[in-house]
Amino acid sequence: AIGGGCSTSLLVCLSPAADSAQETVAALEFAGRARTVAQEVVVNQGYVEVDATVLAHDLQASLLSESIAISAAQTNDLEDKLETLSRDLEEQRRAHKEETARLQ
């Protein structure tokens, strides 16, 4: 589809042969119409709020309900990873907010 937040290219192949003149003209007319299509850049925005503690407890409850036991060290490791991911997500949010503000 033409549009969105990416660049779009159109390659039109033409023939110098006289018997292809009608097809060549039709291809050029199409290319001319395609050039007039207006593109509007839209900044995609979407956030998901994640509470690492709640997520860790939900994960642990899910694992226990499936009779999968994990050690306390594994639980702590998962909670640490979730905390790191939450920090990274917050940094990305800040960077996205700054970039959006800069673009406007």
Side-chain angles (χ1 to χ4, degrees), residues 1-9 34-44:
I2 297 176
C6 62
S7 297
T8 304
S9 298
R35 283 185 40 200
T36 64
V37 174
Q39 294 183 4
E40 183 177 324
V41 177
V42 177
V43 177
N44 295 328

Side-chain angles (χ1 to χ4, degrees), residues 23-98:
E23 190 173 341
T24 298
V25 169
L28 289 170
E29 288 172 349
F30 172 76
R33 288 191 309 271
R35 283 185 40 200
T36 64
V37 174
Q39 294 183 4
E40 183 177 324
V41 177
V42 177
V43 177
N44 295 328
Q45 294 181 358
Y47 296 105
V48 176
E49 294 294 326
V50 177
D51 184 354
T53 306
V54 172
L55 193 56
H57 291 296
D58 288 348
L59 177 61
Q60 191 173 23
S62 174
L63 292 173
L64 290 175
S65 70
E66 296 176 12
S67 301
I68 298 174
I70 59 174
S71 69
Q74 289 172 319
T75 302
N76 290 339
D77 185 45
L78 289 173
E79 287 175 347
D80 291 343
K81 287 179 182 178
L82 284 171
E83 190 174 316
T84 300
L85 289 172
S86 293
R87 279 195 305 269
D88 291 347
L89 178 62
E90 188 57 38
E91 289 175 16
Q92 288 178 1
R93 275 191 194 133
R94 260 188 256 117
H96 181 268
K97 192 174 186 179
E98 289 172 1

